[in-house]
Tab-separated table of all heavy atoms in Angstrom:
chain	number	residue	atom	x	y	z
A	292	SER	N	-46.786	53.538	-67.597
A	292	SER	CA	-47.151	53.970	-68.952
A	292	SER	C	-46.922	52.844	-69.953
A	292	SER	O	-47.759	52.595	-70.832
A	292	SER	CB	-46.339	55.196	-69.359
A	292	SER	OG	-46.634	56.317	-68.557
A	293	ALA	N	-45.777	52.171	-69.833
A	293	ALA	CA	-45.490	51.048	-70.730
A	293	ALA	C	-46.509	49.937	-70.545
A	293	ALA	O	-46.960	49.315	-71.519
A	293	ALA	CB	-44.080	50.531	-70.485
A	294	CYS	N	-46.901	49.684	-69.293
A	294	CYS	CA	-47.904	48.644	-69.020
A	294	CYS	C	-49.244	48.999	-69.665
A	294	CYS	O	-49.892	48.143	-70.287
A	294	CYS	CB	-48.085	48.468	-67.515
A	294	CYS	SG	-46.678	47.745	-66.655
A	295	LEU	N	-49.666	50.238	-69.515
A	295	LEU	CA	-50.933	50.661	-70.107
A	295	LEU	C	-50.882	50.562	-71.631
A	295	LEU	O	-51.824	50.067	-72.260
A	295	LEU	CB	-51.256	52.092	-69.686
A	295	LEU	CG	-51.667	52.313	-68.233
A	295	LEU	CD1	-51.735	53.800	-67.920
A	295	LEU	CD2	-53.013	51.649	-67.938
A	296	ALA	N	-49.795	51.034	-72.212
A	296	ALA	CA	-49.675	50.981	-73.668
A	296	ALA	C	-49.711	49.545	-74.170
A	296	ALA	O	-50.375	49.238	-75.170
A	296	ALA	CB	-48.398	51.675	-74.116
A	297	ALA	N	-49.004	48.659	-73.488
A	297	ALA	CA	-49.008	47.248	-73.895
A	297	ALA	C	-50.409	46.652	-73.777
A	297	ALA	O	-50.851	45.901	-74.659
A	297	ALA	CB	-48.017	46.463	-73.034
A	298	ALA	N	-51.111	46.997	-72.703
A	298	ALA	CA	-52.444	46.438	-72.486
A	298	ALA	C	-53.413	46.833	-73.593
A	298	ALA	O	-54.226	46.014	-74.039
A	298	ALA	CB	-52.983	46.885	-71.128
A	299	PHE	N	-53.332	48.077	-74.040
A	299	PHE	CA	-54.312	48.563	-75.017
A	299	PHE	C	-53.881	48.370	-76.468
A	299	PHE	O	-54.738	48.328	-77.357
A	299	PHE	CB	-54.615	50.040	-74.765
A	299	PHE	CG	-55.462	50.274	-73.542
A	299	PHE	CD1	-54.904	50.804	-72.390
A	299	PHE	CD2	-56.808	49.956	-73.536
A	299	PHE	CE1	-55.673	51.016	-71.258
A	299	PHE	CE2	-57.586	50.153	-72.407
A	299	PHE	CZ	-57.018	50.681	-71.266
A	300	THR	N	-52.583	48.260	-76.720
A	300	THR	CA	-52.123	48.124	-78.108
A	300	THR	C	-51.714	46.704	-78.462
A	300	THR	O	-51.617	46.371	-79.646
A	300	THR	CB	-50.926	49.051	-78.379
A	300	THR	OG1	-49.773	48.580	-77.647
A	300	THR	CG2	-51.224	50.488	-77.975
A	301	GLY	N	-51.405	45.889	-77.452
A	301	GLY	CA	-50.953	44.528	-77.714
A	301	GLY	C	-49.481	44.408	-78.040
A	301	GLY	O	-48.986	43.309	-78.323
A	302	VAL	N	-48.729	45.512	-77.993
A	302	VAL	CA	-47.292	45.462	-78.243
A	302	VAL	C	-46.594	44.846	-77.040
A	302	VAL	O	-46.980	45.073	-75.887
A	302	VAL	CB	-46.749	46.881	-78.529
A	302	VAL	CG1	-45.246	46.853	-78.771
A	302	VAL	CG2	-47.465	47.495	-79.729
A	303	SER	N	-45.550	44.062	-77.269
A	303	SER	CA	-44.884	43.332	-76.193
A	303	SER	C	-44.134	44.261	-75.242
A	303	SER	O	-43.786	45.398	-75.588
A	303	SER	CB	-43.890	42.329	-76.776
A	303	SER	OG	-42.796	43.021	-77.372
A	304	ALA	N	-43.861	43.755	-74.050
A	304	ALA	CA	-43.116	44.522	-73.048
A	304	ALA	C	-41.756	44.943	-73.590
A	304	ALA	O	-41.301	46.074	-73.358
A	304	ALA	CB	-42.950	43.694	-71.775
A	305	ALA	N	-41.093	44.051	-74.299
A	305	ALA	CA	-39.756	44.357	-74.817
A	305	ALA	C	-39.775	45.485	-75.832
A	305	ALA	O	-38.831	46.276	-75.916
A	305	ALA	CB	-39.142	43.102	-75.439
A	306	MET	N	-40.864	45.583	-76.598
A	306	MET	CA	-40.945	46.596	-77.648
A	306	MET	C	-41.552	47.909	-77.158
A	306	MET	O	-41.290	48.964	-77.735
A	306	MET	CB	-41.782	46.067	-78.816
A	306	MET	CG	-41.176	44.861	-79.518
A	306	MET	SD	-39.566	45.249	-80.277
A	306	MET	CE	-40.071	46.406	-81.540
A	307	ILE	N	-42.345	47.865	-76.109
A	307	ILE	CA	-43.096	49.040	-75.668
A	307	ILE	C	-42.368	49.832	-74.590
A	307	ILE	O	-42.659	51.010	-74.347
A	307	ILE	CB	-44.486	48.616	-75.142
A	307	ILE	CG1	-45.516	49.750	-75.305
A	307	ILE	CG2	-44.442	48.172	-73.686
A	307	ILE	CD1	-46.106	49.848	-76.651
A	308	THR	N	-41.405	49.199	-73.909
A	308	THR	CA	-40.756	49.837	-72.767
A	308	THR	C	-39.610	50.725	-73.227
A	308	THR	O	-38.772	50.311	-74.028
A	308	THR	CB	-40.229	48.785	-71.783
A	308	THR	OG1	-41.299	47.890	-71.439
A	308	THR	CG2	-39.685	49.436	-70.516
A	309	GLY	N	-39.573	51.939	-72.709
A	309	GLY	CA	-38.522	52.884	-73.057
A	309	GLY	C	-37.601	53.162	-71.887
A	309	GLY	O	-37.768	52.624	-70.787
A	310	ARG	N	-36.647	54.039	-72.113
A	310	ARG	CA	-35.639	54.334	-71.100
A	310	ARG	C	-36.014	55.501	-70.188
A	310	ARG	O	-35.223	55.865	-69.320
A	310	ARG	CB	-34.283	54.592	-71.772
A	310	ARG	CG	-33.699	53.335	-72.397
A	310	ARG	CD	-32.331	53.580	-73.009
A	310	ARG	NE	-31.807	52.344	-73.580
A	310	ARG	CZ	-30.981	51.505	-72.952
A	310	ARG	NH1	-30.587	51.781	-71.728
A	310	ARG	NH2	-30.549	50.407	-73.550
A	311	GLY	N	-37.200	56.065	-70.373
A	311	GLY	CA	-37.646	57.109	-69.466
A	311	GLY	C	-36.654	58.248	-69.375
A	311	GLY	O	-36.314	58.890	-70.365
A	312	ALA	N	-36.154	58.491	-68.161
A	312	ALA	CA	-35.215	59.590	-67.948
A	312	ALA	C	-33.789	59.217	-68.331
A	312	ALA	O	-32.828	59.826	-67.859
A	312	ALA	CB	-35.260	60.027	-66.489
A	313	GLY	N	-33.631	58.214	-69.185
A	313	GLY	CA	-32.307	57.849	-69.688
A	313	GLY	C	-31.578	56.839	-68.836
A	313	GLY	O	-30.395	57.006	-68.544
A	314	VAL	N	-32.267	55.770	-68.412
A	314	VAL	CA	-31.661	54.779	-67.528
A	314	VAL	C	-30.582	53.983	-68.261
A	314	VAL	O	-30.586	53.874	-69.496
A	314	VAL	CB	-32.727	53.822	-66.955
A	314	VAL	CG1	-33.753	54.600	-66.155
A	314	VAL	CG2	-33.412	53.016	-68.058
A	315	ASP	N	-29.671	53.403	-67.488
A	315	ASP	CA	-28.603	52.593	-68.078
A	315	ASP	C	-29.148	51.220	-68.476
A	315	ASP	O	-30.313	50.886	-68.232
A	315	ASP	CB	-27.415	52.477	-67.124
A	315	ASP	CG	-27.762	51.804	-65.796
A	315	ASP	OD1	-28.760	51.041	-65.728
A	315	ASP	OD2	-27.035	52.031	-64.809
A	316	ASP	N	-28.287	50.412	-69.093
A	316	ASP	CA	-28.741	49.132	-69.636
A	316	ASP	C	-29.258	48.197	-68.542
A	316	ASP	O	-30.264	47.504	-68.744
A	316	ASP	CB	-27.595	48.449	-70.391
A	316	ASP	CG	-27.260	49.137	-71.701
A	316	ASP	OD1	-28.076	49.979	-72.156
A	316	ASP	OD2	-26.187	48.846	-72.272
A	317	ASP	N	-28.577	48.150	-67.403
A	317	ASP	CA	-29.016	47.253	-66.326
A	317	ASP	C	-30.404	47.650	-65.824
A	317	ASP	O	-31.277	46.789	-65.632
A	317	ASP	CB	-28.013	47.269	-65.177
A	317	ASP	CG	-26.698	46.589	-65.534
A	317	ASP	OD1	-26.677	45.822	-66.529
A	317	ASP	OD2	-25.697	46.827	-64.827
A	318	THR	N	-30.598	48.933	-65.593
A	318	THR	CA	-31.901	49.392	-65.102
A	318	THR	C	-32.976	49.183	-66.154
A	318	THR	O	-34.118	48.805	-65.837
A	318	THR	CB	-31.831	50.871	-64.702
A	318	THR	OG1	-30.769	51.061	-63.763
A	318	THR	CG2	-33.136	51.345	-64.087
A	319	PHE	N	-32.616	49.395	-67.404
A	319	PHE	CA	-33.573	49.173	-68.484
A	319	PHE	C	-34.000	47.705	-68.530
A	319	PHE	O	-35.192	47.398	-68.721
A	319	PHE	CB	-32.968	49.588	-69.821
A	319	PHE	CG	-33.859	49.348	-71.000
A	319	PHE	CD1	-35.062	50.022	-71.131
A	319	PHE	CD2	-33.502	48.435	-71.986
A	319	PHE	CE1	-35.890	49.810	-72.219
A	319	PHE	CE2	-34.319	48.215	-73.075
A	319	PHE	CZ	-35.521	48.897	-73.202
A	320	GLY	N	-33.058	46.804	-68.316
A	320	GLY	CA	-33.402	45.378	-68.284
A	320	GLY	C	-34.380	45.066	-67.161
A	320	GLY	O	-35.328	44.283	-67.336
A	321	ILE	N	-34.158	45.664	-65.985
A	321	ILE	CA	-35.090	45.484	-64.872
A	321	ILE	C	-36.474	45.984	-65.256
A	321	ILE	O	-37.502	45.344	-64.991
A	321	ILE	CB	-34.576	46.223	-63.618
A	321	ILE	CG1	-33.294	45.581	-63.104
A	321	ILE	CG2	-35.650	46.261	-62.523
A	321	ILE	CD1	-32.602	46.389	-62.017
A	322	LYS	N	-36.491	47.130	-65.888
A	322	LYS	CA	-37.765	47.762	-66.254
A	322	LYS	C	-38.563	46.882	-67.220
A	322	LYS	O	-39.772	46.672	-67.037
A	322	LYS	CB	-37.465	49.122	-66.876
A	322	LYS	CG	-38.650	50.034	-67.063
A	322	LYS	CD	-38.147	51.403	-67.537
A	322	LYS	CE	-39.284	52.353	-67.795
A	322	LYS	NZ	-38.796	53.662	-68.280
A	323	VAL	N	-37.901	46.354	-68.236
A	323	VAL	CA	-38.581	45.474	-69.193
A	323	VAL	C	-39.125	44.238	-68.474
A	323	VAL	O	-40.260	43.806	-68.718
A	323	VAL	CB	-37.627	45.067	-70.327
A	323	VAL	CG1	-38.271	44.002	-71.215
A	323	VAL	CG2	-37.227	46.277	-71.160
A	324	THR	N	-38.330	43.679	-67.579
A	324	THR	CA	-38.769	42.502	-66.821
A	324	THR	C	-39.989	42.810	-65.982
A	324	THR	O	-40.958	42.028	-65.937
A	324	THR	CB	-37.623	41.996	-65.927
A	324	THR	OG1	-36.522	41.595	-66.750
A	324	THR	CG2	-38.074	40.827	-65.069
A	325	VAL	N	-39.970	43.955	-65.297
A	325	VAL	CA	-41.089	44.337	-64.436
A	325	VAL	C	-42.359	44.538	-65.253
A	325	VAL	O	-43.441	44.085	-64.844
A	325	VAL	CB	-40.733	45.609	-63.643
A	325	VAL	CG1	-41.965	46.205	-62.978
A	325	VAL	CG2	-39.676	45.305	-62.596
A	326	VAL	N	-42.251	45.189	-66.386
A	326	VAL	CA	-43.427	45.381	-67.238
A	326	VAL	C	-43.976	44.032	-67.687
A	326	VAL	O	-45.186	43.787	-67.633
A	326	VAL	CB	-43.084	46.275	-68.445
A	326	VAL	CG1	-44.243	46.308	-69.447
A	326	VAL	CG2	-42.742	47.689	-67.991
A	327	GLY	N	-43.097	43.140	-68.099
A	327	GLY	CA	-43.541	41.812	-68.509
A	327	GLY	C	-44.201	41.046	-67.381
A	327	GLY	O	-45.231	40.380	-67.575
A	328	GLU	N	-43.624	41.129	-66.175
A	328	GLU	CA	-44.213	40.454	-65.017
A	328	GLU	C	-45.603	40.995	-64.711
A	328	GLU	O	-46.535	40.235	-64.396
A	328	GLU	CB	-43.309	40.636	-63.795
A	328	GLU	CG	-42.021	39.842	-63.843
A	328	GLU	CD	-41.130	40.137	-62.649
A	328	GLU	OE1	-41.504	40.986	-61.801
A	328	GLU	OE2	-40.055	39.521	-62.570
A	329	ALA	N	-45.753	42.310	-64.785
A	329	ALA	CA	-47.053	42.913	-64.486
A	329	ALA	C	-48.106	42.469	-65.487
A	329	ALA	O	-49.252	42.152	-65.115
A	329	ALA	CB	-46.924	44.436	-64.483
A	330	LEU	N	-47.743	42.429	-66.755
A	330	LEU	CA	-48.702	42.010	-67.775
A	330	LEU	C	-49.089	40.547	-67.603
A	330	LEU	O	-50.255	40.178	-67.775
A	330	LEU	CB	-48.115	42.255	-69.161
A	330	LEU	CG	-47.862	43.726	-69.521
A	330	LEU	CD1	-47.084	43.822	-70.824
A	330	LEU	CD2	-49.174	44.500	-69.624
A	331	THR	N	-48.117	39.730	-67.249
A	331	THR	CA	-48.406	38.305	-67.024
A	331	THR	C	-49.293	38.117	-65.797
A	331	THR	O	-50.235	37.317	-65.804
A	331	THR	CB	-47.098	37.524	-66.854
A	331	THR	OG1	-46.324	37.646	-68.047
A	331	THR	CG2	-47.371	36.056	-66.569
A	332	ARG	N	-49.001	38.851	-64.745
A	332	ARG	CA	-49.754	38.714	-63.497
A	332	ARG	C	-51.211	39.135	-63.685
A	332	ARG	O	-52.139	38.453	-63.242
A	332	ARG	CB	-49.122	39.540	-62.382
A	332	ARG	CG	-49.958	39.608	-61.085
A	332	ARG	CD	-49.283	40.437	-60.029
A	332	ARG	NE	-48.111	39.773	-59.499
A	332	ARG	CZ	-48.136	38.884	-58.514
A	332	ARG	NH1	-49.288	38.524	-57.969
A	332	ARG	NH2	-47.017	38.324	-58.077
A	333	HIS	N	-51.411	40.290	-64.313
A	333	HIS	CA	-52.750	40.869	-64.351
A	333	HIS	C	-53.564	40.482	-65.578
A	333	HIS	O	-54.802	40.548	-65.525
A	333	HIS	CB	-52.651	42.399	-64.290
A	333	HIS	CG	-52.046	42.912	-63.028
A	333	HIS	ND1	-52.677	42.829	-61.807
A	333	HIS	CD2	-50.844	43.505	-62.790
A	333	HIS	CE1	-51.905	43.363	-60.874
A	333	HIS	NE2	-50.780	43.770	-61.445
A	334	GLN	N	-52.890	40.098	-66.671
A	334	GLN	CA	-53.621	39.795	-67.907
A	334	GLN	C	-54.684	40.866	-68.176
A	334	GLN	O	-55.882	40.575	-68.295
A	334	GLN	CB	-54.274	38.406	-67.818
A	334	GLN	CG	-53.320	37.250	-67.694
A	334	GLN	CD	-52.499	37.037	-68.980
A	334	GLN	OE1	-53.073	36.956	-70.069
A	334	GLN	NE2	-51.190	36.965	-68.858
A	335	PRO	N	-54.282	42.142	-68.268
A	335	PRO	CA	-55.270	43.227	-68.359
A	335	PRO	C	-56.137	43.125	-69.602
A	335	PRO	O	-55.656	42.824	-70.688
A	335	PRO	CB	-54.398	44.486	-68.393
A	335	PRO	CG	-53.043	44.029	-68.814
A	335	PRO	CD	-52.887	42.644	-68.304
A	336	ASP	N	-57.429	43.339	-69.399
A	336	ASP	CA	-58.424	43.234	-70.457
A	336	ASP	C	-58.762	44.635	-70.972
A	336	ASP	O	-59.378	45.428	-70.258
A	336	ASP	CB	-59.685	42.564	-69.902
A	336	ASP	CG	-60.823	42.527	-70.905
A	336	ASP	OD1	-60.596	42.826	-72.097
A	336	ASP	OD2	-61.953	42.196	-70.484
A	337	PRO	N	-58.372	44.984	-72.207
A	337	PRO	CA	-58.653	46.325	-72.722
A	337	PRO	C	-60.135	46.640	-72.821
A	337	PRO	O	-60.518	47.804	-72.932
A	337	PRO	CB	-57.979	46.331	-74.098
A	337	PRO	CG	-57.824	44.897	-74.465
A	337	PRO	CD	-57.634	44.153	-73.178
């Protein structure tokens, strides 16, 4: 969901990614990194 929102709105991974079901800080950091990696890898075209 964060990846899709970033692709269509242009908001950065750090700003668009949320904690979902209430993940802790370490897991949240992983999540932000993964979203950023996916956006960099795919360069999705809206």
Side-chain angles (χ1 to χ4, degrees):
S292 295
C294 291
L295 289 171
F299 287 107
T300 69
V302 179
S303 69
M306 296 298 294
I307 207 82
T308 307
R310 291 182 179 265
V314 300
D315 61 23
D316 289 346
D317 290 342
T318 306
F319 178 64
I321 294 170
K322 192 173 178 181
V323 172
T324 298
V325 167
V326 171
E328 288 176 358
L330 295 171
T331 299
R332 172 180 289 275
H333 297 291
Q334 296 292 309
D336 175 11

